[in-house]
Amino acid sequence: MHKRNSRLALTAVAVATASALLAGCSSGTAPTTADGKQKVIFWQQKFEDYQQAWFKKNVEAFNKSQDQVEVEYVVVPADTWDQKLKAAQAAGKAPDVKTTNYGNVKPMQANGQLADLTQLMDAEDFDDIKPNVKEFVTVDGGVYGYPLLVEPSTVLFYRTDLFEKAGIDAPPTSWDELIEDARKLTSGKVKGMNIAQTAPDLGWSSWGLQYNVAGDLPLRGDWSEASATDPAYKELAEFYQTLYTEKLMPQEATYGYADCSFFGEGSVAMSACGSWALGQLAGNPDWKNVNENFAVAPFPSYDGDPTRPTATLGGWTLTIDSKSKVAEGAAEFVDYLVADDPQRMVEFFAASGFSKYAARASVDEALAADEEASSNPYMKIISEQIVAHAKGEPAYPWDVSLAFATAIEKSMRGGDIDASLKEAQDAIAGVIEKQKLAGTAPGN
Amino acid sequence: MTMSPQLTTHGATQRIVLESGEPERKGRRRREKVKVARHLMDNRTAYLMIAPMVILLGIFVFWPLVYSFYLSTFEISFYTDPEFVGLQFYRYVLEDPKFWHAIWIGAQYAIYVVPIMLVIAFLIASFIRTVGIKLAGLLKTTVYIPTVVSAVVASIIFVFMYRSDGGIVNWLLSFVGLGPYAFLSNPDLALPAISVPGIWLAFGITTLIMLAGMYDIPESYYEAAQLEGANYFQRTFYITIPLMKNVLLYLLVTATIGALQQFELPLIMTGGGPTNATMTPNLFIFNTFKDPTPYATSFSLTAALILFFVLGTVSVLIFKLINSDKAIDG
Amino acid sequence: MREPLGRRIAKWVLATLIVVSTMLPLAWMIIAGFKGKNEVLRTPFQFFPDVWIWENYIQILGDAAFMQAMIITFIGAVLFTALSLTVNSFAAYAFARLDFRGKSLWWAYCITPMFVPGMAILLTSFVVVSNLGMLNTLAVLIIPGAASAAQMFFIRQFYLNTPVAIEEAALIDGASRWKIFWTIFLPQSQGPFVVVGVGSFLAFWNAYVWPILTIQDPQLQQIMQYLANFRSDRGNEWGLLMAGSALAALPTILLVLIFQRYIVNGVRLAGMK
């Protein structure tokens, strides 16, 4: 009987310890390396190779330049980023610093996930940020992400040689013209146009066009009501529908919107893509022919008005986790990387083939002084005609954008436009209710 | 050897048996009798032997399950205090049309995959029975090979095979005059399209299991039936199928439950699209999980638990439905 | 009695049809590995390439990350197989041959996980392994899944069907239950162990979702992770992708070919009663 009792007691203790362990008590002390430095974990979402190279080089330089902080650099593939981040947060092991796109900054801040950088970095670092970009990362006077770059999400790329052959002398300036041109250019294996066709891609790449045709987004004002059934959106859906159902564009999304391979391979004569495509085109030696025969233009407005927005200004920032135990060390790293010497950023943009644009005034100046930068033909068009009119990304949850995008995809695949938009309307209303969005729009 | 009533207390009985040292009683309880003699020792050996499994299952299955149920009553935020909301998320999930749509997609997928796979497996197994040993061996191995291919590899292969420009499927269809289809971009064709790799991956093991079931049916039954003039169909329906009832039931339940949980194929082949035409329940849960809002975390966790109930219910339903008349003992 | 020729030919035709259609996707993939990018998908479709190139396979084999993934996955699979065989066979023996207090309770306990879908515990088991400090180690792939109700069930079935006679002699001699297991049952268990072992190896080799959540370190990247990443990053190098996929599927196919006898017969051993 002795044995059984003590065995029981032992088991009870074991179970209790185990549950304590398993329920998650994370240590309260700051993580340090063996030699007493603060350990900062940095997750970079995987981008183009030149970005990984730039980050790697600068992380190493930072680590060497001082001995209080050591940064561990982790590259995470884009398609598993969200799940991994979520899971890490659940376990209390979220990275201290991570790349975050503008669209996620405000929702994450609303959930208390981000640290206010104004408490961790010098004021002058923030003065340097361009005013329209600063808006994207500011909430109630606090700044929650330090901008790395901006890139307009929608630029029209077109083949000058194919245009010549088809007798078109200028890029289209209205949606009707674009469709006309696409019809003329679709012949044989080449399609006239390429644009997003799956809901996840349409979700963010059509924001610019949503602004263009309706002046605002399907969730606007104080977010208490959905506006997906705004009659202007019908034109938008029809535009996409025509391109797909008339087979003026590829019928399968072999490449996502963000990948301009269709254009680079010569399968399409025109393509909507983000400005980053410039880097992709320049970087691929197999695409030499296309590279020497293309030009860029702003995506046409539905009615031809060139001052209406057609693109949103997307891009990436570095954010610090609000629960980070090494926030100061993390801030030092962020400062070194993106807020410090403008030359570092010039190197970054040069490596990108100037397909991305600066968010800081000082970097713009440095670029203007840089020979390579100022001789780039596309940069001027993009910054003057596209970035100038571009809008910021919406701050509402992705579910809203996805619901609207699903309506567009349904229309594209031949579905009834009114019915699809109504479905989106209902879906967005559901999101407003469940996620309690009414009245929470920033700036309201 | 009889046992006197006064000695039926546990411990006493054991000692007596041990001392007499003659395990003579026949039948079911023979094993037990010897074990009874060593009762305490066996407890220890047994517990030691099941311990690793018990501990592992406890830590990695039961605890997480309990914890999941617990968490599902909160609006989970990892940054602010979780808010206790009771069964609110259960309501949210059950009210969400996207959840039910996903269940419907799962059901459709199961309807596409399960019957066809069972029939194919049955036919092939029957065929294998009729061929010589060497050929049988070759066929058995051949059908099993797709089973060991991973969902990732299968997805990659079939994405390419389904391409409308240069894919092999469209090439084969062109021989019967059917135009090129963009299978995975077409909301009506995408789900049937992914059921093909689904069937391809699972029919091998199903065939082997059916075959095993068939081998257990004595030849004599068939010979007798043939003497009475029964043809192939009659023999199949009156002998093979009834005698394989347990096997078929087992396969039906596992195939259905497996199909309802299909996730990797649509994840890699279509991401759930086009327009959610391939958004199976687990894929829906997995995708919902990504969103940074606390709402999404709680939602996907709760949806997973509700799915658990759905699956359990489905198994019980199928079992009761088919098992309502107990078959002849195999 | 000789079968009529017509009938035999028909059977061979049918058999060929089955083999060809089953192997078609794999064959296509392997051959596509020998194609240059512009030949993998071309109209008009062609099964065999005009130009056979070895570069794809060579390049993949030369890719350090690929080989690393193959090797580490292999090591993990072997360890996983050993662990799961041990854990599951011990429990199977106990349930099949021993009697002990609370047996039916423990049986229910060990069987229930078969009905728990992985998705219901994905997040919380992640939290558990994270708190145990197992993230980003090989252990996180090996330990959590080692106990398998289905495998244990299968082995138990085999042990139940093993005649009592073989242990009689040993029991009379006074051997302990443990010794009997070790010296008599284990050596006899080849059949089911191969079946279950192959099953474990397969499950580990083909795993995708759990590794992507728990493994960050590129040195530990599992082979299916590697493939999926390859497809996202370098998706337009089709020939390479096909070659990589073919090589990734190769080990498991080889395993089946080597152990085919056990596998196809092993299904019978359990006897579905």
Side-chain angles (χ1 to χ4, degrees), chain A residues 197 250-256 259 262 265, chain B residues 160 163 165 185, chain C residues 41 231 235-236 238:
Chain A
Q197 57 173 280
Q251 300 289 287
E252 280 160 322
T254 316
Y255 303 111
D259 181 339
F262 274 129
E265 291 171 357
Chain B
F160 278 87
R163 287 285 298 267
D165 53 339
S185 296
Chain C
L41 282 174
R231 180 166 171 256
N236 44 6
W238 297 332

mmCIF file with all atom_site columns, all heavy atoms in Angstrom, chain A residues 197 250-256 259 262 265, chain B residues 160 163 165 185, chain C residues 41 231 235-236 238:
data_model
loop_
_atom_site.group_PDB
_atom_site.id
_atom_site.type_symbol
_atom_site.label_atom_id
_atom_site.label_alt_id
_atom_site.label_comp_id
_atom_site.label_asym_id
_atom_site.label_entity_id
_atom_site.label_seq_id
_atom_site.pdbx_PDB_ins_code
_atom_site.Cartn_x
_atom_site.Cartn_y
_atom_site.Cartn_z
_atom_site.occupancy
_atom_site.B_iso_or_equiv
_atom_site.pdbx_formal_charge
_atom_site.auth_seq_id
_atom_site.auth_comp_id
_atom_site.auth_asym_id
_atom_site.auth_atom_id
_atom_site.pdbx_PDB_model_num
ATOM 1   N N   . GLN A 1 197 ? -6.136  37.534 -61.414 1.00 0.00 ? 197 GLN A N   1
ATOM 2   C CA  . GLN A 1 197 ? -7.376  36.776 -61.657 1.00 0.00 ? 197 GLN A CA  1
ATOM 3   C C   . GLN A 1 197 ? -7.800  35.879 -60.490 1.00 0.00 ? 197 GLN A C   1
ATOM 4   O O   . GLN A 1 197 ? -8.793  35.174 -60.591 1.00 0.00 ? 197 GLN A O   1
ATOM 5   C CB  . GLN A 1 197 ? -7.246  35.931 -62.922 1.00 0.00 ? 197 GLN A CB  1
ATOM 6   C CG  . GLN A 1 197 ? -6.084  34.981 -62.900 1.00 0.00 ? 197 GLN A CG  1
ATOM 7   C CD  . GLN A 1 197 ? -6.114  34.062 -64.113 1.00 0.00 ? 197 GLN A CD  1
ATOM 8   O OE1 . GLN A 1 197 ? -6.850  33.087 -64.132 1.00 0.00 ? 197 GLN A OE1 1
ATOM 9   N NE2 . GLN A 1 197 ? -5.311  34.381 -65.117 1.00 0.00 ? 197 GLN A NE2 1
ATOM 10  N N   . PRO A 1 250 ? -4.300  35.602 -70.026 1.00 0.00 ? 250 PRO A N   1
ATOM 11  C CA  . PRO A 1 250 ? -4.105  34.166 -69.763 1.00 0.00 ? 250 PRO A CA  1
ATOM 12  C C   . PRO A 1 250 ? -5.276  33.610 -68.958 1.00 0.00 ? 250 PRO A C   1
ATOM 13  O O   . PRO A 1 250 ? -5.818  34.285 -68.086 1.00 0.00 ? 250 PRO A O   1
ATOM 14  C CB  . PRO A 1 250 ? -2.815  34.117 -68.936 1.00 0.00 ? 250 PRO A CB  1
ATOM 15  C CG  . PRO A 1 250 ? -2.105  35.377 -69.239 1.00 0.00 ? 250 PRO A CG  1
ATOM 16  C CD  . PRO A 1 250 ? -3.138  36.395 -69.566 1.00 0.00 ? 250 PRO A CD  1
ATOM 17  N N   . GLN A 1 251 ? -5.661  32.392 -69.258 1.00 0.00 ? 251 GLN A N   1
ATOM 18  C CA  . GLN A 1 251 ? -6.832  31.819 -68.602 1.00 0.00 ? 251 GLN A CA  1
ATOM 19  C C   . GLN A 1 251 ? -6.485  31.099 -67.303 1.00 0.00 ? 251 GLN A C   1
ATOM 20  O O   . GLN A 1 251 ? -7.363  30.640 -66.593 1.00 0.00 ? 251 GLN A O   1
ATOM 21  C CB  . GLN A 1 251 ? -7.535  30.835 -69.563 1.00 0.00 ? 251 GLN A CB  1
ATOM 22  C CG  . GLN A 1 251 ? -7.989  31.511 -70.842 1.00 0.00 ? 251 GLN A CG  1
ATOM 23  C CD  . GLN A 1 251 ? -9.161  32.460 -70.610 1.00 0.00 ? 251 GLN A CD  1
ATOM 24  O OE1 . GLN A 1 251 ? -10.273 32.042 -70.382 1.00 0.00 ? 251 GLN A OE1 1
ATOM 25  N NE2 . GLN A 1 251 ? -8.905  33.751 -70.666 1.00 0.00 ? 251 GLN A NE2 1
ATOM 26  N N   . GLU A 1 252 ? -5.195  30.963 -67.025 1.00 0.00 ? 252 GLU A N   1
ATOM 27  C CA  . GLU A 1 252 ? -4.778  30.328 -65.776 1.00 0.00 ? 252 GLU A CA  1
ATOM 28  C C   . GLU A 1 252 ? -3.743  31.199 -65.080 1.00 0.00 ? 252 GLU A C   1
ATOM 29  O O   . GLU A 1 252 ? -2.869  31.753 -65.731 1.00 0.00 ? 252 GLU A O   1
ATOM 30  C CB  . GLU A 1 252 ? -4.094  28.988 -66.059 1.00 0.00 ? 252 GLU A CB  1
ATOM 31  C CG  . GLU A 1 252 ? -5.051  27.870 -66.317 1.00 0.00 ? 252 GLU A CG  1
ATOM 32  C CD  . GLU A 1 252 ? -4.320  26.762 -67.054 1.00 0.00 ? 252 GLU A CD  1
ATOM 33  O OE1 . GLU A 1 252 ? -3.473  27.087 -67.910 1.00 0.00 ? 252 GLU A OE1 1
ATOM 34  O OE2 . GLU A 1 252 ? -4.604  25.612 -66.765 1.00 0.00 ? 252 GLU A OE2 1
ATOM 35  N N   . ALA A 1 253 ? -3.829  31.268 -63.776 1.00 0.00 ? 253 ALA A N   1
ATOM 36  C CA  . ALA A 1 253 ? -2.869  32.099 -63.037 1.00 0.00 ? 253 ALA A CA  1
ATOM 37  C C   . ALA A 1 253 ? -1.598  31.329 -62.761 1.00 0.00 ? 253 ALA A C   1
ATOM 38  O O   . ALA A 1 253 ? -1.242  31.062 -61.622 1.00 0.00 ? 253 ALA A O   1
ATOM 39  C CB  . ALA A 1 253 ? -3.509  32.552 -61.734 1.00 0.00 ? 253 ALA A CB  1
ATOM 40  N N   . THR A 1 254 ? -0.896  30.989 -63.846 1.00 0.00 ? 254 THR A N   1
ATOM 41  C CA  . THR A 1 254 ? 0.366   30.281 -63.672 1.00 0.00 ? 254 THR A CA  1
ATOM 42  C C   . THR A 1 254 ? 1.312   31.080 -62.795 1.00 0.00 ? 254 THR A C   1
ATOM 43  O O   . THR A 1 254 ? 2.056   30.536 -61.992 1.00 0.00 ? 254 THR A O   1
ATOM 44  C CB  . THR A 1 254 ? 1.054   30.091 -65.031 1.00 0.00 ? 254 THR A CB  1
ATOM 45  O OG1 . THR A 1 254 ? 0.090   29.679 -65.974 1.00 0.00 ? 254 THR A OG1 1
ATOM 46  C CG2 . THR A 1 254 ? 2.151   29.059 -64.940 1.00 0.00 ? 254 THR A CG2 1
ATOM 47  N N   . TYR A 1 255 ? 1.281   32.387 -63.002 1.00 0.00 ? 255 TYR A N   1
ATOM 48  C CA  . TYR A 1 255 ? 2.093   33.266 -62.165 1.00 0.00 ? 255 TYR A CA  1
ATOM 49  C C   . TYR A 1 255 ? 1.153   34.196 -61.423 1.00 0.00 ? 255 TYR A C   1
ATOM 50  O O   . TYR A 1 255 ? 0.178   34.681 -61.967 1.00 0.00 ? 255 TYR A O   1
ATOM 51  C CB  . TYR A 1 255 ? 3.047   34.091 -63.023 1.00 0.00 ? 255 TYR A CB  1
ATOM 52  C CG  . TYR A 1 255 ? 3.944   33.238 -63.879 1.00 0.00 ? 255 TYR A CG  1
ATOM 53  C CD1 . TYR A 1 255 ? 3.785   33.209 -65.265 1.00 0.00 ? 255 TYR A CD1 1
ATOM 54  C CD2 . TYR A 1 255 ? 4.915   32.439 -63.311 1.00 0.00 ? 255 TYR A CD2 1
ATOM 55  C CE1 . TYR A 1 255 ? 4.604   32.419 -66.053 1.00 0.00 ? 255 TYR A CE1 1
ATOM 56  C CE2 . TYR A 1 255 ? 5.727   31.649 -64.086 1.00 0.00 ? 255 TYR A CE2 1
ATOM 57  C CZ  . TYR A 1 255 ? 5.570   31.638 -65.455 1.00 0.00 ? 255 TYR A CZ  1
ATOM 58  O OH  . TYR A 1 255 ? 6.367   30.852 -66.227 1.00 0.00 ? 255 TYR A OH  1
ATOM 59  N N   . GLY A 1 256 ? 1.446   34.447 -60.162 1.00 0.00 ? 256 GLY A N   1
ATOM 60  C CA  . GLY A 1 256 ? 0.623   35.378 -59.405 1.00 0.00 ? 256 GLY A CA  1
ATOM 61  C C   . GLY A 1 256 ? 0.793   36.783 -59.923 1.00 0.00 ? 256 GLY A C   1
ATOM 62  O O   . GLY A 1 256 ? 1.684   37.068 -60.723 1.00 0.00 ? 256 GLY A O   1
ATOM 63  N N   . ASP A 1 259 ? 4.198   38.498 -59.795 1.00 0.00 ? 259 ASP A N   1
ATOM 64  C CA  . ASP A 1 259 ? 5.268   37.939 -60.592 1.00 0.00 ? 259 ASP A CA  1
ATOM 65  C C   . ASP A 1 259 ? 5.013   38.310 -62.046 1.00 0.00 ? 259 ASP A C   1
ATOM 66  O O   . ASP A 1 259 ? 3.987   37.952 -62.610 1.00 0.00 ? 259 ASP A O   1
ATOM 67  C CB  . ASP A 1 259 ? 5.241   36.415 -60.404 1.00 0.00 ? 259 ASP A CB  1
ATOM 68  C CG  . ASP A 1 259 ? 6.332   35.703 -61.176 1.00 0.00 ? 259 ASP A CG  1
ATOM 69  O OD1 . ASP A 1 259 ? 6.859   36.268 -62.153 1.00 0.00 ? 259 ASP A OD1 1
ATOM 70  O OD2 . ASP A 1 259 ? 6.647   34.573 -60.789 1.00 0.00 ? 259 ASP A OD2 1
ATOM 71  N N   . PHE A 1 262 ? 4.811   36.419 -66.972 1.00 0.00 ? 262 PHE A N   1
ATOM 72  C CA  . PHE A 1 262 ? 4.060   36.367 -68.235 1.00 0.00 ? 262 PHE A CA  1
ATOM 73  C C   . PHE A 1 262 ? 4.619   37.413 -69.199 1.00 0.00 ? 262 PHE A C   1
ATOM 74  O O   . PHE A 1 262 ? 4.821   37.153 -70.381 1.00 0.00 ? 262 PHE A O   1
ATOM 75  C CB  . PHE A 1 262 ? 2.580   36.694 -68.016 1.00 0.00 ? 262 PHE A CB  1
ATOM 76  C CG  . PHE A 1 262 ? 1.745   35.503 -67.612 1.00 0.00 ? 262 PHE A CG  1
ATOM 77  C CD1 . PHE A 1 262 ? 0.919   35.562 -66.514 1.00 0.00 ? 262 PHE A CD1 1
ATOM 78  C CD2 . PHE A 1 262 ? 1.771   34.331 -68.365 1.00 0.00 ? 262 PHE A CD2 1
ATOM 79  C CE1 . PHE A 1 262 ? 0.138   34.480 -66.141 1.00 0.00 ? 262 PHE A CE1 1
ATOM 80  C CE2 . PHE A 1 262 ? 0.989   33.243 -67.997 1.00 0.00 ? 262 PHE A CE2 1
ATOM 81  C CZ  . PHE A 1 262 ? 0.173   33.322 -66.888 1.00 0.00 ? 262 PHE A CZ  1
ATOM 82  N N   . GLU A 1 265 ? 8.335   36.687 -70.216 1.00 0.00 ? 265 GLU A N   1
ATOM 83  C CA  . GLU A 1 265 ? 8.498   35.595 -71.175 1.00 0.00 ? 265 GLU A CA  1
ATOM 84  C C   . GLU A 1 265 ? 7.931   35.931 -72.534 1.00 0.00 ? 265 GLU A C   1
ATOM 85  O O   . GLU A 1 265 ? 8.050   35.148 -73.471 1.00 0.00 ? 265 GLU A O   1
ATOM 86  C CB  . GLU A 1 265 ? 7.791   34.344 -70.660 1.00 0.00 ? 265 GLU A CB  1
ATOM 87  C CG  . GLU A 1 265 ? 8.456   33.729 -69.453 1.00 0.00 ? 265 GLU A CG  1
ATOM 88  C CD  . GLU A 1 265 ? 7.619   32.634 -68.849 1.00 0.00 ? 265 GLU A CD  1
ATOM 89  O OE1 . GLU A 1 265 ? 6.489   32.404 -69.344 1.00 0.00 ? 265 GLU A OE1 1
ATOM 90  O OE2 . GLU A 1 265 ? 8.076   32.020 -67.878 1.00 0.00 ? 265 GLU A OE2 1
ATOM 91  N N   . PHE B 2 160 ? 0.630   20.487 -63.258 1.00 0.00 ? 160 PHE B N   1
ATOM 92  C CA  . PHE B 2 160 ? 1.156   20.522 -64.611 1.00 0.00 ? 160 PHE B CA  1
ATOM 93  C C   . PHE B 2 160 ? 0.321   19.694 -65.577 1.00 0.00 ? 160 PHE B C   1
ATOM 94  O O   . PHE B 2 160 ? 0.113   20.074 -66.728 1.00 0.00 ? 160 PHE B O   1
ATOM 95  C CB  . PHE B 2 160 ? 2.606   20.026 -64.619 1.00 0.00 ? 160 PHE B CB  1
ATOM 96  C CG  . PHE B 2 160 ? 3.581   21.083 -64.226 1.00 0.00 ? 160 PHE B CG  1
ATOM 97  C CD1 . PHE B 2 160 ? 3.892   21.293 -62.894 1.00 0.00 ? 160 PHE B CD1 1
ATOM 98  C CD2 . PHE B 2 160 ? 4.150   21.903 -65.171 1.00 0.00 ? 160 PHE B CD2 1
ATOM 99  C CE1 . PHE B 2 160 ? 4.775   22.287 -62.519 1.00 0.00 ? 160 PHE B CE1 1
ATOM 100 C CE2 . PHE B 2 160 ? 5.041   22.902 -64.813 1.00 0.00 ? 160 PHE B CE2 1
ATOM 101 C CZ  . PHE B 2 160 ? 5.352   23.094 -63.482 1.00 0.00 ? 160 PHE B CZ  1
ATOM 102 N N   . ARG B 2 163 ? -2.745  21.601 -66.965 1.00 0.00 ? 163 ARG B N   1
ATOM 103 C CA  . ARG B 2 163 ? -2.601  22.856 -67.668 1.00 0.00 ? 163 ARG B CA  1
ATOM 104 C C   . ARG B 2 163 ? -3.356  22.854 -68.990 1.00 0.00 ? 163 ARG B C   1
ATOM 105 O O   . ARG B 2 163 ? -3.402  21.856 -69.690 1.00 0.00 ? 163 ARG B O   1
ATOM 106 C CB  . ARG B 2 163 ? -1.128  23.138 -67.920 1.00 0.00 ? 163 ARG B CB  1
ATOM 107 C CG  . ARG B 2 163 ? -0.381  23.537 -66.678 1.00 0.00 ? 163 ARG B CG  1
ATOM 108 C CD  . ARG B 2 163 ? -0.716  24.939 -66.305 1.00 0.00 ? 163 ARG B CD  1
ATOM 109 N NE  . ARG B 2 163 ? -0.294  25.840 -67.360 1.00 0.00 ? 163 ARG B NE  1
ATOM 110 C CZ  . ARG B 2 163 ? 0.880   26.454 -67.379 1.00 0.00 ? 163 ARG B CZ  1
ATOM 111 N NH1 . ARG B 2 163 ? 1.736   26.278 -66.409 1.00 0.00 ? 163 ARG B NH1 1
ATOM 112 N NH2 . ARG B 2 163 ? 1.185   27.266 -68.371 1.00 0.00 ? 163 ARG B NH2 1
ATOM 113 N N   . ASP B 2 165 ? -2.535  24.672 -71.505 1.00 0.00 ? 165 ASP B N   1
ATOM 114 C CA  . ASP B 2 165 ? -1.588  24.831 -72.615 1.00 0.00 ? 165 ASP B CA  1
ATOM 115 C C   . ASP B 2 165 ? -0.463  23.828 -72.424 1.00 0.00 ? 165 ASP B C   1
ATOM 116 O O   . ASP B 2 165 ? 0.491   24.080 -71.718 1.00 0.00 ? 165 ASP B O   1
ATOM 117 C CB  . ASP B 2 165 ? -1.014  26.242 -72.636 1.00 0.00 ? 165 ASP B CB  1
ATOM 118 C CG  . ASP B 2 165 ? -0.441  26.611 -71.277 1.00 0.00 ? 165 ASP B CG  1
ATOM 119 O OD1 . ASP B 2 165 ? -0.837  25.972 -70.274 1.00 0.00 ? 165 ASP B OD1 1
ATOM 120 O OD2 . ASP B 2 165 ? 0.419   27.502 -71.211 1.00 0.00 ? 165 ASP B OD2 1
ATOM 121 N N   . SER B 2 185 ? -8.653  26.602 -63.005 1.00 0.00 ? 185 SER B N   1
ATOM 122 C CA  . SER B 2 185 ? -9.146  27.975 -62.942 1.00 0.00 ? 185 SER B CA  1
ATOM 123 C C   . SER B 2 185 ? -10.647 28.030 -63.145 1.00 0.00 ? 185 SER B C   1
ATOM 124 O O   . SER B 2 185 ? -11.246 29.091 -63.116 1.00 0.00 ? 185 SER B O   1
ATOM 125 C CB  . SER B 2 185 ? -8.512  28.822 -64.051 1.00 0.00 ? 185 SER B CB  1
ATOM 126 O OG  . SER B 2 185 ? -7.153  28.904 -63.864 1.00 0.00 ? 185 SER B OG  1
ATOM 127 N N   . LEU C 3 41  ? 6.060   22.151 -70.857 1.00 0.00 ? 41  LEU C N   1
ATOM 128 C CA  . LEU C 3 41  ? 4.681   22.428 -71.258 1.00 0.00 ? 41  LEU C CA  1
ATOM 129 C C   . LEU C 3 41  ? 4.753   23.043 -72.626 1.00 0.00 ? 41  LEU C C   1
ATOM 130 O O   . LEU C 3 41  ? 5.211   24.155 -72.781 1.00 0.00 ? 41  LEU C O   1
ATOM 131 C CB  . LEU C 3 41  ? 4.036   23.436 -70.305 1.00 0.00 ? 41  LEU C CB  1
ATOM 132 C CG  . LEU C 3 41  ? 3.582   22.892 -68.968 1.00 0.00 ? 41  LEU C CG  1
ATOM 133 C CD1 . LEU C 3 41  ? 3.115   24.050 -68.118 1.00 0.00 ? 41  LEU C CD1 1
ATOM 134 C CD2 . LEU C 3 41  ? 2.441   21.908 -69.138 1.00 0.00 ? 41  LEU C CD2 1
ATOM 135 N N   . ARG C 3 231 ? 8.947   25.427 -55.401 1.00 0.00 ? 231 ARG C N   1
ATOM 136 C CA  . ARG C 3 231 ? 7.884   25.752 -56.334 1.00 0.00 ? 231 ARG C CA  1
ATOM 137 C C   . ARG C 3 231 ? 7.469   27.208 -56.206 1.00 0.00 ? 231 ARG C C   1
ATOM 138 O O   . ARG C 3 231 ? 7.220   27.881 -57.196 1.00 0.00 ? 231 ARG C O   1
ATOM 139 C CB  . ARG C 3 231 ? 6.683   24.848 -56.101 1.00 0.00 ? 231 ARG C CB  1
ATOM 140 C CG  . ARG C 3 231 ? 5.571   25.161 -57.055 1.00 0.00 ? 231 ARG C CG  1
ATOM 141 C CD  . ARG C 3 231 ? 4.532   24.076 -57.079 1.00 0.00 ? 231 ARG C CD  1
ATOM 142 N NE  . ARG C 3 231 ? 3.390   24.536 -57.850 1.00 0.00 ? 231 ARG C NE  1
ATOM 143 C CZ  . ARG C 3 231 ? 2.254   24.937 -57.321 1.00 0.00 ? 231 ARG C CZ  1
ATOM 144 N NH1 . ARG C 3 231 ? 2.117   24.930 -56.025 1.00 0.00 ? 231 ARG C NH1 1
ATOM 145 N NH2 . ARG C 3 231 ? 1.268   25.337 -58.098 1.00 0.00 ? 231 ARG C NH2 1
ATOM 146 N N   . GLY C 3 235 ? 9.383   28.826 -59.286 1.00 0.00 ? 235 GLY C N   1
ATOM 147 C CA  . GLY C 3 235 ? 8.329   28.064 -59.947 1.00 0.00 ? 235 GLY C CA  1
ATOM 148 C C   . GLY C 3 235 ? 8.465   27.971 -61.432 1.00 0.00 ? 235 GLY C C   1
ATOM 149 O O   . GLY C 3 235 ? 7.981   27.035 -62.034 1.00 0.00 ? 235 GLY C O   1
ATOM 150 N N   . ASN C 3 236 ? 9.150   28.941 -62.050 1.00 0.00 ? 236 ASN C N   1
ATOM 151 C CA  . ASN C 3 236 ? 9.179   28.823 -63.500 1.00 0.00 ? 236 ASN C CA  1
ATOM 152 C C   . ASN C 3 236 ? 10.330  27.994 -64.032 1.00 0.00 ? 236 ASN C C   1
ATOM 153 O O   . ASN C 3 236 ? 10.516  27.897 -65.231 1.00 0.00 ? 236 ASN C O   1
ATOM 154 C CB  . ASN C 3 236 ? 9.103   30.196 -64.180 1.00 0.00 ? 236 ASN C CB  1
ATOM 155 C CG  . ASN C 3 236 ? 10.013  31.191 -63.513 1.00 0.00 ? 236 ASN C CG  1
ATOM 156 O OD1 . ASN C 3 236 ? 10.780  30.830 -62.627 1.00 0.00 ? 236 ASN C OD1 1
ATOM 157 N ND2 . ASN C 3 236 ? 9.918   32.426 -63.935 1.00 0.00 ? 236 ASN C ND2 1
ATOM 158 N N   . TRP C 3 238 ? 10.585  24.812 -64.561 1.00 0.00 ? 238 TRP C N   1
ATOM 159 C CA  . TRP C 3 238 ? 9.767   23.617 -64.531 1.00 0.00 ? 238 TRP C CA  1
ATOM 160 C C   . TRP C 3 238 ? 10.555  22.320 -64.588 1.00 0.00 ? 238 TRP C C   1
ATOM 161 O O   . TRP C 3 238 ? 10.242  21.371 -63.881 1.00 0.00 ? 238 TRP C O   1
ATOM 162 C CB  . TRP C 3 238 ? 8.765   23.645 -65.689 1.00 0.00 ? 238 TRP C CB  1
ATOM 163 C CG  . TRP C 3 238 ? 7.802   24.774 -65.589 1.00 0.00 ? 238 TRP C CG  1
ATOM 164 C CD1 . TRP C 3 238 ? 7.380   25.382 -64.444 1.00 0.00 ? 238 TRP C CD1 1
ATOM 165 C CD2 . TRP C 3 238 ? 7.150   25.438 -66.657 1.00 0.00 ? 238 TRP C CD2 1
ATOM 166 N NE1 . TRP C 3 238 ? 6.500   26.372 -64.749 1.00 0.00 ? 238 TRP C NE1 1
ATOM 167 C CE2 . TRP C 3 238 ? 6.328   26.430 -66.094 1.00 0.00 ? 238 TRP C CE2 1
ATOM 168 C CE3 . TRP C 3 238 ? 7.157   25.272 -68.053 1.00 0.00 ? 238 TRP C CE3 1
ATOM 169 C CZ2 . TRP C 3 238 ? 5.538   27.273 -66.876 1.00 0.00 ? 238 TRP C CZ2 1
ATOM 170 C CZ3 . TRP C 3 238 ? 6.364   26.100 -68.810 1.00 0.00 ? 238 TRP C CZ3 1
ATOM 171 C CH2 . TRP C 3 238 ? 5.562   27.091 -68.225 1.00 0.00 ? 238 TRP C CH2 1
#
